[in-house]
Amino acid sequence: MSTTVRQMIVETAHRVFRDACDMETVAQAAKGTWPKTLWQALAGNGFTTLDDDGLTWEDALALLQVAGYYAVPVPLAESILASRLLTAAGLSIPEGVLTVGVTPASKPQVEHTASGTRLSGRWTQVAWARQADHVVFLAFDGDQPVITCVDQSSIQVTSGTNLAGEPRDTVVLEGALTGDVGGLPSPWSQDSVRSFAALTRVMLSAGALERILDMTLQYAGERKQFGRPIGKFQAVQAQIAEMAIEVAAVRAIANLALAATEASNDTASSTEGAALGRAEWTIALGKVRLAQAIHVSTTHAHQVHGAMGFTEEYPMHHLTRRLWAWRQEFGNDTAWAPSVVTELREHGVWRAVTGV
Amino acid sequence: MSTTVRQMIVETAHRVFRDACDMETVAQAAKGTWPKTLWQALAGNGFTTLDDDGLTWEDALALLQVAGYYAVPVPLAESILASRLLTAAGLSIPEGVLTVGVTPASKPQVEHTASGTRLSGRWTQVAWARQADHVVFLAFDGDQPVITCVDQSSIQVTSGTNLAGEPRDTVVLEGALTGDVGGLPSPWSQDSVRSFAALTRVMLSAGALERILDMTLQYAGERKQFGRPIGKFQAVQAQIAEMAIEVAAVRAIANLALAATEASNDTASSTEGAALGRAEWTIALGKVRLAQAIHVSTTHAHQVHGAMGFTEEYPMHHLTRRLWAWRQEFGNDTAWAPSVVTELREHGVWRAVTGV
Amino acid sequence: MSRFTFESIRLPDTAEDLRQDVRRFLADEQAKGGFVPVVDSWLSGFNPDFSEKLGRMGWIGMVWPEKYGGHARSTLERYVVMEELLAAGAPVGAHWVADRQMGPMILRHGTEAQKERFLPDMAKGVSYWAIGMSEPNAGSDLSAAQAKLTPDGAGWRLSGQKLWSSGAHRCQYMIALCRSGPAGDDRHGGLTNVIIDLRDPAVTIRPIYLISGEHHFNEVIFNDVYISEDMVIGEPGDGWHQVTEELAHERSGPERFLSTMPLFEALVQVTQHSEDRYLQRELAALASELAALRQLSLSIAGILEQGGNPVVEAALVKDAGTRFERKVTEVAERVLQLGTNGEGGVGVSDEIAANSGIAAAETLLAQAILHGPGFTIRGGTNEILRGIVARGLGLR
Amino acid sequence: MSRFTFESIRLPDTAEDLRQDVRRFLADEQAKGGFVPVVDSWLSGFNPDFSEKLGRMGWIGMVWPEKYGGHARSTLERYVVMEELLAAGAPVGAHWVADRQMGPMILRHGTEAQKERFLPDMAKGVSYWAIGMSEPNAGSDLSAAQAKLTPDGAGWRLSGQKLWSSGAHRCQYMIALCRSGPAGDDRHGGLTNVIIDLRDPAVTIRPIYLISGEHHFNEVIFNDVYISEDMVIGEPGDGWHQVTEELAHERSGPERFLSTMPLFEALVQVTQHSEDRYLQRELAALASELAALRQLSLSIAGILEQGGNPVVEAALVKDAGTRFERKVTEVAERVLQLGTNGEGGVGVSDEIAANSGIAAAETLLAQAILHGPGFTIRGGTNEILRGIVARGLGLR
């Protein structure tokens, strides 16, 4: 891992987001305005797609923590995941805004017809489908999971939003013409794709949790009641201390997932399966850990902020609403629990946690 | 319900326990000394068995709240339950210390032989079996649950204790001669007996929870750190406030269970089944509510007390260890959950809670 | 040994009969499409038609004397009506504050003329009132109120502002706690409650949008509003006393633990066929907490009926009740999978997922999540309440 | 944006090799009946034989210089050995305090003579040391210590008492924080650490029995004990500084979240065949919390290795870690049915219930319940720790 390069990317990202993604931009985006300048800034810095000579998958995941801190209102996670899937499937990455459809409603099929390859199916939770130039889909060729990319012009979008007002659209395709189709590389499974999608939520959330801690600390230091800053009250201090541990824990486990993901890419092919399994397990742990962190942190952050904190005017809700949504997206804690527990049962808790 | 009589019983009971059941008595009992004086005082006041002209089942349940407050180290709950079961089965109540065996290991049978009625089986969790003059057993005559009473001389006891050091023995009978056998009255089932046993634990715990709140309040007012009573610290205040609500909640639900039990006895025979069902449901609620109350209250009580509180010398553990044991006895919250949820599913939550 | 007064309450048969009347009414209304159950309906369900219907049923101002349009019923009968309305998620927001707080304050401290003028319309369900307590720098600390009353002839002039006034943009009146003199040593003096006609052009009402995007709360600005003598409640300077004695009413009611009741019902429905024991444990724990809270809240209603003022008990119940409301949400967040477009959750039966039950449950969960932060803040934060309990227990 | 220093740590391969050595050793010992896993083994597992064996393996004083009997290994290697011993519930109580606290204090502040005299026996696992910090009126507030040192020639006389000294009745030595002068304005002056030979007849050791009935803690009374000059650590008056700089070591170690690990393992084993999704959720939540805590604790070990003093981070980890230990107990209380004589629990498979697994799990649960209150009190209560975190975050 090139820590220095990644550190540089993270620092640059902070600068880019500070400039192009203030809370007003986020608020406007929540009302439906596409933040073109922000997207261009991100794309211009090479942050929106992976690149053999530039952003690696792991760099991009680190970048998502920064993006989460700023409540990024564009499909950055999806664009990165899309380029990861395309690359893995041996397909090329098109220009423009990319998103992914990786939660198909049933088992959408590609058909090889005389007039070309066609795709039919329905995908929910497609982030910013309405806005994307291309959507990268997880589909099936028979039983084989495959990746393929479809143009905006060929998709039917039903708009929806998550709790934070982020576009989460449903896309329906009925025999749409698609480009090349590529299989998932060994040892990836359909579940690996779901894991990677979940990992983007862990990364984004790690950043967003950090931000609400910062906002809460600042507020507690400034807001006065009964003649002194509320941060002097033991009850408020306890709430903030609890937030701090939750934030630190999520960051720790996000970094663990990042390291495991990296290890699974750097591994000799003979142990690839095991390394990928380890990465997926660590991601499952992360998604489970996230649920508690979000519950505790958002509860305390709002409680410390009092009535002000749940107004639209005060910007913290751009973070807390995203966190509530991200907790659920690509599976909540209950959904991921069996993936975690299978390993505990097979190896024992301690061996599972220490990597056997 | 004769509230005045019951009030009088409760007040007398407080006086009796204050005199005969101080913490030294409890501590000695925990070391194996049978508190003879206490038992005599209770028996002398007519508190150990139900009586047509004296203590009713509901009075006795109210009495158990007081007994719990004083960490009663004798089988008072069991003696009362034993006399309740005997009376219900149409049997007479013998003299002496009584206890019950109502958690049989399999399905112990009575056999009617030429030499008399004989009983075989194994019962766990028999409180003070080693000390009792008679043990009242729940057994079976074929498939029919029955009640019968066996003398100390005929039982084999393997000693055991619960977390609080209270005797919880295992009793084995192998064709022991028993006295009369009586069936459970309609509409009672084997589960009703289990419910009543659980109800004694709810009542005892309500009192014990009250006591640890009192002890914690007193300690917080006296103990100083950083130059002031710890009760002045907001963190301690919050812990005590949480204990207070838990105590109040358990008392409220214990009283609800008491009222429902009373209603099930006062009911015309046509609605007996429904009234008993309601009482059993309320008891299940109580046992479930208890689990949280014990978890929260014992945690906070010990935390406020600091290191002192978990020494043998400081008497609070006589209460907290009993609470931990009572939470489990006759089924913990997970065990009782289905009884609660069945009603919620059938009638909806609100109708179940308001009594349909 | 007992630190608080929480007597067991057995509801009179008249109250239980009334309960069945309310249930029939609600079932009818729901069948007619009169309302869709929502979370937190006493805040978000502002529905004048529905309030008028309730007025016609005699279910507003129930305990007030008949001569002021009331129905002279008992506190416990009123309690039963309130809890049924809330448990059903019915839209009671329009008249809620008038019925719970402003009517009783006028009844207790108002002049005969004020009673005759204001109470009958409240009881009809056509007069809606806002609360004017909080200010930008007086949230949990009401004694810091600064909205200023200056004497003007027999009346007063009012300048300043109030925050968080629920429904002020749709209400006709507000009662505001204002500063008419210095606070004095105990910090509780110099406060006066006045009635303000919100249609007065010198009153500016600005919306405060919530994180759910809804508009319930407002900032209300008084630009030198003339307050005539007959709009003052009781004696000038008695305001602190008047608002704090209502606190037990405000804090102990069933609205402090029933806000998420429609979600709880939905949760049980959609997991109807789950055999999962530990899910059942969570549901049973919630039910047992609910049952206990209801008994405690009923006990307080009983004390109020007898003229007591159980402020500490009310604080205890509100703290626990509002935490319960949020626990329901947390369990639901583990069961349902928001954003799957009504396609399921963990433990949700296919049968139910296939019909509209799951989508409705998800909608209720979204409402509960977004309203949740308010539960433990409004009407006195839980931190404030715990201080009150500690004081009641003699800790300070 | 980041408020604390928690760098990711990747353990070196040498440490992972060492882990396998420790596991083999522990498996052997367990197979031979050398120990039975217990909850909270670093308090309750006082086993001189076992400590000597560990000494022979080179697993005590691992990071100390070889000339004092140490093994010059890295902090991270030491960390791995510690976590493996604790996770297995091995009886490490006899030498724990010497290895973690007293040895390092002597190494850092002691004289050359003290190092030569005391460290080698500690590293052999034959010299056991007690902590003398708390007093009857100085629990969380160490600056209130009153055990009094009076000058006597070149040495001192010590009178007073210490409380909660773990294992003092079986240890040879104690290091006690004593008052040698006035506290001064910052309340931290005038404290001095001295080494006391516990076999001195002027020392009286009285047992403090725990609620589990066990005897680990003691009251240690100093009846005018003579403390020779060479038994003083560093300069008189430097005591506060010496004990607080060890706090990060004391609070961040794996013993602050692994005390109930044997119970957690047992819980997973006995519910091996449960298909209950919500039970799995609880187990997964515990595992995810454990994994995060371990990373944070490792990060602190990394900082310590580099010579940093992460007091605030350590407070954070101890607060969360000890709460985690108790959460394990709470989940186990829902699953197991104590007192059923090993006959089951909810979700416990019959297959396991039939063998000894369930009885062993119940024993561990009983230990965890009875030891639990101590977890969040010893070594600084969680309330104290949160104050430290708040200060670290700039809140006071």
Side-chain angles (χ1 to χ4, degrees):
Chain A
M1 147 165 66
S2 168
T3 311
T4 334
V5 172
R6 188 166 308 159
Q7 199 57 41
M8 231 175 59
I9 292 171
V10 164
E11 278 163 24
T12 308
H14 266 294
R15 206 160 45 237
V16 171
F17 279 105
R18 250 195 315 266
D19 291 350
C21 190
D22 60 9
M23 281 298 177
E24 185 52 32
T25 306
V26 177
Q28 286 307 319
K31 293 184 174 135
T33 310
W34 171 251
K36 198 171 168 185
T37 317
L38 171 61
W39 183 265
Q40 283 170 345
L42 293 172
N45 276 280
F47 289 164
T48 53
T49 54
L50 307 184
D51 182 345
D52 280 348
D53 306 321
L55 200 72
T56 67
W57 170 227
E58 292 78 20
D59 294 339
L61 290 170
L63 177 67
L64 288 181
Q65 293 197 36
V66 183
Y69 188 89
Y70 293 93
V72 58
V74 292
L76 179 63
E78 290 73 17
S79 177
I80 287 167
L81 180 59
S83 64
R84 173 72 175 137
L85 296 178
L86 288 172
T87 310
L91 307 177
S92 59
I93 302 172
E95 291 288 313
V97 178
L98 275 178
T99 189
V100 284
V102 290
T103 48
S106 53
K107 207 170 172 185
Q109 290 289 330
V110 295
E111 281 177 293
H112 305 282
T113 70
S115 59
T117 310
R118 294 186 174 274
L119 177 60
S120 299
R122 185 162 150 269
W123 291 258
T124 59
Q125 303 252 71
V126 185
W128 281 273
R130 64 188 80 161
Q131 196 69 45
D133 296 310
H134 310 275
V135 183
V136 173
F137 291 103
L138 172 69
F140 293 85
D141 191 345
D143 278 340
Q144 167 85 22
V146 295
I147 298 298
T148 188
C149 183
V150 178
D151 279 4
Q152 174 67 240
S153 57
S154 309
I155 66 175
Q156 288 173 33
V157 174
T158 311
S159 291
T161 55
N162 67 10
L163 277 179
E166 294 183 304
R168 293 293 183 265
D169 301 333
T170 298
V171 175
V172 176
L173 298 186
E174 290 174 359
L177 263 181
T178 179
D180 290 343
V181 168
L184 299 179
S186 167
W188 287 23
S189 67
Q190 185 189 352
D191 285 346
S192 313
V193 176
R194 178 170 165 256
S195 287
F196 300 153
L199 178 57
T200 65
R201 294 306 183 260
V202 174
M203 293 294 160
L204 288 168
S205 299
L209 286 167
E210 194 106 37
R211 181 67 169 276
I212 66 172
L213 174 59
D214 285 355
M215 294 180 83
T216 304
L217 271 171
Q218 184 172 349
Y219 187 82
E222 290 169 0
R223 168 75 174 171
K224 288 187 181 170
Q225 286 229 314
F226 302 102
R228 52 185 182 145
I230 59 173
K232 299 279 182 197
F233 289 93
Q234 205 180 15
V236 171
Q237 294 187 346
Q239 287 167 332
I240 290 177
E242 273 190 38
M243 287 178 72
I245 187 72
E246 295 297 314
V247 170
V250 168
R251 186 142 41 97
I253 215 154
N255 288 339
L256 200 64
L258 184 57
T261 302
E262 193 142 42
S264 76
N265 284 339
D266 292 350
T267 309
S269 59
S270 63
T271 56
E272 257 181 358
L276 179 66
R278 180 75 190 160
E280 291 182 23
W281 187 73
T282 313
I283 293 165
L285 270 186
K287 200 69 168 58
V288 171
R289 185 65 187 78
L290 200 52
Q292 176 189 313
I294 290 174
H295 173 60
V296 171
S297 293
T298 60
T299 301
H300 290 343
H302 275 293
Q303 191 68 17
V304 171
H305 273 85
M308 176 55 73
F310 60 94
T311 62
E312 196 173 71
E313 184 189 343
Y314 190 84
M316 192 171 68
H317 66 94
H318 294 302
L319 285 307
T320 54
R321 288 190 300 143
R322 276 175 169 74
L323 286 166
W324 293 321
W326 293 342
R327 169 177 178 178
Q328 300 279 336
E329 287 177 2
F330 305 117
N332 64 10
D333 42 337
T334 313
W336 282 99
S339 306
V340 172
V341 171
T342 302
E343 288 292 298
L344 304 181
R345 287 176 175 174
E346 191 169 340
H347 302 291
V349 179
W350 184 244
R351 284 171 186 257
V353 166
T354 52
V356 187
Chain B
M1 146 166 66
S2 168
T3 312
T4 333
V5 171
R6 186 167 307 158
Q7 199 57 42
M8 229 175 61
I9 291 171
V10 164
E11 280 163 22
T12 307
H14 266 293
R15 206 160 44 239
V16 171
F17 278 105
R18 249 194 316 265
D19 291 350
C21 191
D22 61 8
M23 281 299 178
E24 184 52 31
T25 307
V26 178
Q28 287 307 319
K31 292 182 175 137
T33 310
W34 171 250
K36 198 171 168 185
T37 318
L38 171 60
W39 182 265
Q40 284 170 345
L42 294 171
N45 276 281
F47 288 166
T48 53
T49 54
L50 307 185
D51 181 347
D52 279 349
D53 305 321
L55 200 73
T56 67
W57 170 228
E58 293 77 20
D59 294 340
L61 290 169
L63 178 67
L64 288 181
Q65 292 197 35
V66 183
Y69 187 88
Y70 293 93
V72 60
V74 292
L76 179 63
E78 290 73 16
S79 177
I80 287 167
L81 180 58
S83 65
R84 174 70 175 140
L85 296 178
L86 288 171
T87 311
L91 307 177
S92 59
I93 303 172
E95 291 289 312
V97 178
L98 276 177
T99 189
V100 285
V102 291
T103 49
S106 52
K107 209 171 172 184
Q109 291 288 331
V110 294
E111 280 177 293
H112 304 282
T113 69
S115 59
T117 309
R118 294 185 174 275
L119 179 59
S120 298
R122 185 161 151 268
W123 291 259
T124 59
Q125 302 252 69
V126 185
W128 280 272
R130 62 187 83 159
Q131 197 70 45
D133 296 310
H134 311 274
V135 183
V136 173
F137 291 104
L138 172 69
F140 293 86
D141 191 346
D143 277 340
Q144 166 86 21
V146 294
I147 298 299
T148 188
C149 184
V150 178
D151 280 3
Q152 173 67 240
S153 57
S154 308
I155 66 174
Q156 289 173 33
V157 173
T158 310
S159 291
T161 55
N162 68 10
L163 275 180
E166 294 182 303
R168 292 294 183 264
D169 301 333
T170 297
V171 174
V172 176
L173 298 185
E174 289 173 1
L177 263 180
T178 179
D180 291 342
V181 169
L184 299 179
S186 166
W188 287 23
S189 67
Q190 184 189 353
D191 284 345
S192 313
V193 176
R194 179 170 165 256
S195 287
F196 300 153
L199 179 56
T200 64
R201 295 305 183 260
V202 174
M203 293 295 159
L204 288 168
S205 300
L209 287 166
E210 195 106 38
R211 180 68 169 275
I212 65 172
L213 174 59
D214 285 355
M215 293 180 84
T216 304
L217 271 170
Q218 184 173 349
Y219 188 83
E222 290 168 1
R223 168 76 175 170
K224 288 188 179 167
Q225 286 229 316
F226 302 101
R228 53 184 181 147
I230 59 173
K232 299 279 181 199
F233 289 94
Q234 205 179 15
V236 171
Q237 294 188 345
Q239 287 168 331
I240 290 177
E242 274 191 38
M243 287 178 74
I245 188 71
E246 294 298 312
V247 170
V250 168
R251 187 141 40 97
I253 215 155
N255 288 339
L256 200 64
L258 184 57
T261 303
E262 193 142 40
S264 76
N265 285 338
D266 294 350
T267 308
S269 59
S270 64
T271 56
E272 258 182 355
L276 179 66
R278 180 74 191 163
E280 290 184 23
W281 188 73
T282 313
I283 293 165
L285 270 186
K287 202 68 168 57
V288 170
R289 185 66 187 79
L290 200 52
Q292 177 190 312
I294 290 175
H295 173 60
V296 171
S297 293
T298 59
T299 302
H300 290 342
H302 275 295
Q303 192 67 17
V304 171
H305 273 85
M308 176 55 72
F310 61 96
T311 63
E312 196 173 70
E313 183 189 344
Y314 190 84
M316 192 172 67
H317 66 93
H318 294 302
L319 285 307
T320 54
R321 288 188 301 144
R322 275 175 170 74
L323 287 166
W324 292 323
W326 293 342
R327 170 178 177 177
Q328 299 279 337
E329 286 177 1
F330 306 117
N332 64 10
D333 44 335
T334 314
W336 283 100
S339 306
V340 172
V341 171
T342 302
E343 288 291 299
L344 303 181
R345 287 176 175 174
E346 190 170 339
H347 301 292
V349 179
W350 185 243
R351 283 172 185 257
V353 166
T354 53
V356 187
Chain C
M1 77 201 231
S2 177
R3 299 274 168 181
F4 297 109
T5 314
F6 280 118
E7 293 295 322
S8 296
I9 290 292
R10 206 183 124 73
L11 289 168
D13 290 344
T14 54
E16 293 296 357
D17 292 345
L18 188 53
R19 181 189 309 284
Q20 300 310 324
D21 293 345
V22 179
R23 285 186 182 170
R24 271 188 297 273
F25 169 82
L26 289 169
D28 276 1
E29 281 296 312
Q30 229 183 311
K32 283 192 291 193
F35 73 97
V36 174
V38 292
V39 160
D40 206 10
S41 69
W42 63 281
L43 175 70
S44 54
F46 198 105
N47 183 332
D49 286 349
F50 193 82
S51 290
E52 272 201 68
K53 279 182 195 165
L54 291 184
R56 280 200 295 275
M57 297 301 290
W59 294 339
I60 304 178
M62 284 176 71
V63 301
W64 306 346
E66 289 170 327
K67 66 172 168 170
Y68 305 127
H71 306 278
R73 306 203 61 157
S74 72
T75 300
L76 293 175
E77 286 171 320
R78 175 178 181 275
Y79 189 95
V80 164
V81 174
M82 297 304 115
E83 68 173 0
E84 288 298 325
L85 294 170
L86 292 165
V92 295
H95 68 276
W96 194 260
V97 166
D99 182 64
R100 180 185 72 185
Q101 243 161 309
M102 298 322 178
M105 189 189 277
I106 290 174
L107 196 61
R108 205 186 273 238
H109 301 289
T111 62
E112 188 58 32
Q114 286 169 342
K115 292 177 201 177
E116 285 172 6
R117 176 174 169 196
F118 296 118
L119 296 180
D121 278 355
M122 285 184 180
K124 278 185 199 144
V126 299
S127 175
Y128 313 131
W129 292 59
I131 304 179
M133 290 209 202
S134 297
E135 295 184 12
N137 291 305
S140 289
D141 182 10
L142 289 179
S143 62
Q146 297 184 337
K148 193 168 166 53
L149 287 171
T150 315
D152 180 1
W156 304 76
R157 291 270 163 196
L158 174 60
S159 291
Q161 62 177 318
K162 288 290 172 184
L163 269 190
W164 314 122
S165 296
S166 164
H169 57 304
R170 292 185 283 197
C171 288
Q172 296 99 326
Y173 297 99
M174 167 186 277
I175 295 184
L177 182 68
C178 303
R179 180 149 302 290
S180 54
D185 285 347
D186 68 354
R187 302 184 67 236
H188 298 159
L191 293 167
T192 299
N193 280 305
V194 297
I195 302 171
I196 297 150
D197 186 332
L198 292 172
R199 291 155 299 193
D200 187 319
V203 174
T204 306
I205 299 175
R206 290 194 195 136
I208 302 175
Y209 292 99
L210 295 186
I211 64 175
S212 59
E214 294 164 281
H215 172 203
H216 304 303
F217 290 118
N218 299 277
E219 182 181 8
V220 179
I221 297 148
F222 311 116
N223 307 300
D224 199 30
V225 180
Y226 181 70
I227 307 288
S228 61
E229 189 182 13
D230 60 355
M231 296 291 256
V232 174
I233 309 269
E235 293 301 311
D238 278 358
W240 176 263
H241 172 66
Q242 290 164 9
V243 299
T244 51
E245 77 175 11
E246 298 296 335
L247 284 177
H249 288 88
E250 188 189 336
R251 288 176 176 163
S252 70
E255 70 267 39
R256 301 308 186 175
F257 57 92
L258 291 177
S259 301
T260 53
M261 196 63 211
L263 175 62
F264 189 7
E265 295 282 11
L267 202 49
V268 169
Q269 284 309 310
V270 300
T271 59
Q272 188 79 239
H273 301 289
S274 167
E275 290 182 5
D276 198 301
R277 181 71 78 105
Y278 288 80
L279 172 60
Q280 293 185 39
R281 196 204 68 81
E282 302 223 46
L283 298 175
L286 291 176
S288 73
E289 207 166 345
L290 172 64
L293 284 163
R294 177 169 176 260
Q295 287 308 114
L296 294 174
S297 176
L298 269 170
S299 300
I300 296 178
I303 301 170
L304 291 170
E305 170 113 359
Q306 290 158 34
N309 190 19
V311 173
V312 178
E313 287 82 353
L316 211 62
V317 171
K318 179 175 180 298
D319 175 20
T322 53
R323 283 186 286 131
F324 164 76
E325 292 176 333
R326 304 194 69 172
K327 282 183 201 169
V328 171
T329 311
E330 172 60 13
V331 173
E333 283 189 86
R334 293 181 197 147
V335 173
L336 298 166
Q337 287 269 106
L338 270 189
T340 52
N341 293 16
E343 286 175 17
V346 181
V348 172
S349 70
D350 291 344
E351 189 189 320
I352 299 239
N355 70 34
S356 65
I358 185 77
E362 285 191 11
T363 301
L364 291 167
L365 174 55
Q367 293 168 0
I369 290 174
L370 295 174
H371 279 241
F375 300 163
T376 47
I377 292 171
R378 62 192 179 191
T381 67
N382 290 36
E383 290 71 32
I384 295 286
L385 298 173
R386 289 166 177 209
I388 292 170
V389 173
R391 196 180 301 128
L393 288 168
L395 288 178
R396 58 178 201 179
Chain D
M1 79 202 231
S2 178
R3 299 272 168 181
F4 297 108
T5 314
F6 281 117
E7 292 295 322
S8 296
I9 290 293
R10 206 182 124 73
L11 288 169
D13 290 342
T14 54
E16 294 296 357
D17 292 344
L18 188 53
R19 182 189 307 285
Q20 300 310 324
D21 293 345
V22 179
R23 286 186 182 170
R24 270 188 297 273
F25 169 82
L26 288 169
D28 276 2
E29 281 296 311
Q30 230 184 309
K32 283 191 292 189
F35 73 97
V36 174
V38 292
V39 160
D40 207 11
S41 69
W42 62 282
L43 175 69
S44 54
F46 198 106
N47 183 331
D49 285 350
F50 193 82
S51 290
E52 271 201 69
K53 280 182 194 163
L54 290 184
R56 282 198 295 274
M57 297 300 291
W59 294 339
I60 304 178
M62 284 177 70
V63 301
W64 306 347
E66 289 170 328
K67 64 173 167 169
Y68 304 128
H71 306 278
R73 305 204 63 158
S74 73
T75 299
L76 292 175
E77 286 171 320
R78 176 178 180 276
Y79 188 96
V80 164
V81 174
M82 298 303 116
E83 67 173 1
E84 288 297 325
L85 293 171
L86 293 165
V92 295
H95 67 276
W96 194 260
V97 166
D99 183 63
R100 179 185 72 185
Q101 243 163 308
M102 299 321 177
M105 188 188 277
I106 290 174
L107 197 61
R108 205 187 272 238
H109 301 290
T111 61
E112 187 59 29
Q114 286 169 344
K115 293 177 201 175
E116 285 171 7
R117 175 173 169 197
F118 295 118
L119 297 179
D121 278 353
M122 285 184 179
K124 278 185 198 143
V126 298
S127 175
Y128 313 131
W129 291 59
I131 304 179
M133 289 208 199
S134 297
E135 295 184 12
N137 291 305
S140 289
D141 182 11
L142 288 180
S143 62
Q146 297 185 338
K148 193 166 166 52
L149 286 170
T150 315
D152 179 2
W156 304 76
R157 290 270 162 194
L158 173 59
S159 292
Q161 62 177 318
K162 288 291 172 182
L163 270 188
W164 314 123
S165 297
S166 165
H169 57 305
R170 292 185 283 197
C171 289
Q172 295 99 327
Y173 297 100
M174 166 186 278
I175 295 184
L177 183 68
C178 303
R179 180 149 301 290
S180 55
D185 286 347
D186 68 354
R187 304 183 66 238
H188 298 159
L191 292 167
T192 299
N193 280 305
V194 297
I195 302 171
I196 297 149
D197 185 332
L198 293 172
R199 290 156 300 192
D200 187 319
V203 175
T204 306
I205 299 176
R206 290 194 195 134
I208 300 174
Y209 292 99
L210 295 186
I211 64 175
S212 59
E214 294 165 283
H215 173 202
H216 304 303
F217 290 118
N218 299 278
E219 182 183 6
V220 179
I221 298 149
F222 311 116
N223 307 299
D224 199 30
V225 180
Y226 182 69
I227 308 287
S228 61
E229 187 182 15
D230 60 356
M231 296 292 257
V232 173
I233 309 267
E235 291 302 312
D238 278 357
W240 176 264
H241 171 66
Q242 290 165 9
V243 297
T244 52
E245 80 175 8
E246 298 297 335
L247 284 177
H249 288 86
E250 187 189 338
R251 288 177 175 163
S252 70
E255 70 267 39
R256 301 308 187 175
F257 58 92
L258 291 178
S259 301
T260 53
M261 195 64 210
L263 175 61
F264 190 7
E265 295 281 11
L267 202 49
V268 169
Q269 284 308 311
V270 299
T271 59
Q272 187 79 237
H273 301 290
S274 168
E275 290 182 3
D276 196 302
R277 181 70 78 105
Y278 289 79
L279 172 59
Q280 293 185 40
R281 195 203 68 81
E282 303 221 48
L283 298 174
L286 291 176
S288 73
E289 206 165 345
L290 172 64
L293 284 163
R294 177 169 178 263
Q295 286 310 113
L296 294 174
S297 176
L298 269 170
S299 301
I300 295 178
I303 301 170
L304 290 170
E305 170 113 1
Q306 289 157 33
N309 189 20
V311 173
V312 179
E313 287 82 353
L316 210 63
V317 170
K318 180 175 180 297
D319 176 21
T322 54
R323 284 187 286 131
F324 164 76
E325 292 177 332
R326 303 195 69 172
K327 282 184 203 169
V328 171
T329 311
E330 173 58 15
V331 173
E333 284 190 83
R334 292 182 198 146
V335 173
L336 298 167
Q337 287 270 105
L338 270 190
T340 51
N341 293 16
E343 286 175 17
V346 181
V348 173
S349 70
D350 291 343
E351 189 190 321
I352 299 241
N355 70 34
S356 66
I358 184 77
E362 286 191 13
T363 301
L364 291 168
L365 173 55
Q367 292 169 0
I369 290 174
L370 295 174
H371 280 241
F375 299 164
T376 48
I377 290 172
R378 61 191 180 192
T381 68
N382 289 35
E383 291 70 34
I384 294 287
L385 299 174
R386 288 165 176 210
I388 292 169
V389 173
R391 196 180 301 127
L393 288 167
L395 287 179
R396 58 178 198 180

